[in-house]
Amino acid sequence: DYGVVSYNAHGEVTGIVEKPETPPSNIAITGLYFVDCTASDRAKLVKPSHRGELEITSLLESYLEDKSLKLTQLGRGIAWLDTGTHNAANFVRTLTEKQGLQVGSPDEVAYRLGYINKTQLIENANKFSKSQYGEYLSRLSEM
């Protein structure tokens, strides 16, 4: 159900296949892309696939062709789930209900990376004080 990469003997990406019937590897293109300022111009050149869709893999292939594509494999312990599935919803529910963690909290990320300080975190917690998110930020500020 995903774009899949193929490799040569040196571990270099040699191709990208969109939704192959027989995948050339077990490395899926998961949907997190960082592109440069040439992406808009490259995207204008993408033609619809045999399925009649504009495929992100076609854009990625243009980077592969000029040897500027870089692929980073997610390491052990990293979970990637298709967000449109029940598995993803259950995973997020488990994290929030059983472990008390928030998923996708920009305030927590900013605090942990030092972009905001504890006072600013508390201010943000107060803005959302009538919600579970505000309660979470408040607990975070007490740690």
Side-chain angles (χ1 to χ4, degrees):
D1 291 338
Y2 310 102
V4 178
V5 297
S6 57
Y7 290 95
N8 64 19
H10 303 288
E12 300 164 329
V13 176
T14 58
I16 304 169
V17 184
E18 181 63 28
K19 298 178 179 65
E21 288 186 31
T22 306
S25 75
N26 65 349
I27 306 299
I29 306 291
T30 60
L32 179 60
Y33 315 103
F34 297 93
V35 296
D36 62 13
C37 62
T38 67
S40 294
D41 291 331
R42 291 171 187 261
K44 291 175 188 173
L45 301 174
V46 171
K47 304 285 187 242
S49 69
H50 68 279
R51 298 179 312 124
E53 296 181 13
L54 296 175
E55 309 286 358
I56 189 69
T57 51
S58 297
L59 175 66
L60 298 176
E61 285 173 337
S62 75
Y63 286 96
L64 178 61
E65 288 169 8
D66 66 17
K67 300 188 185 316
S68 62
L69 178 72
K70 296 189 180 22
L71 175 81
T72 301
Q73 290 189 41
L74 300 177
R76 180 173 165 77
I78 305 264
W80 178 85
L81 300 167
D82 188 338
T83 57
T85 66
H86 292 291
N87 288 340
N90 289 337
F91 180 75
V92 170
R93 183 179 306 110
T94 298
L95 286 176
T96 56
E97 291 177 359
K98 305 290 184 194
Q99 295 185 8
L101 300 173
Q102 285 287 319
V103 174
S105 168
D107 295 288
E108 179 177 11
V109 171
Y111 178 63
R112 293 191 185 279
L113 293 177
Y115 299 139
I116 63 173
N117 61 32
K118 190 172 197 171
T119 301
Q120 292 166 307
L121 180 66
I122 293 169
E123 288 172 4
N124 291 347
N126 290 336
K127 288 179 192 176
F128 301 105
S129 63
K130 295 181 181 176
S131 70
Q132 290 178 337
Y133 184 67
E135 292 171 14
Y136 177 75
L137 295 180
S138 183
R139 284 193 309 274
L140 181 63
S141 71
E142 296 168 1
M143 294 180 175

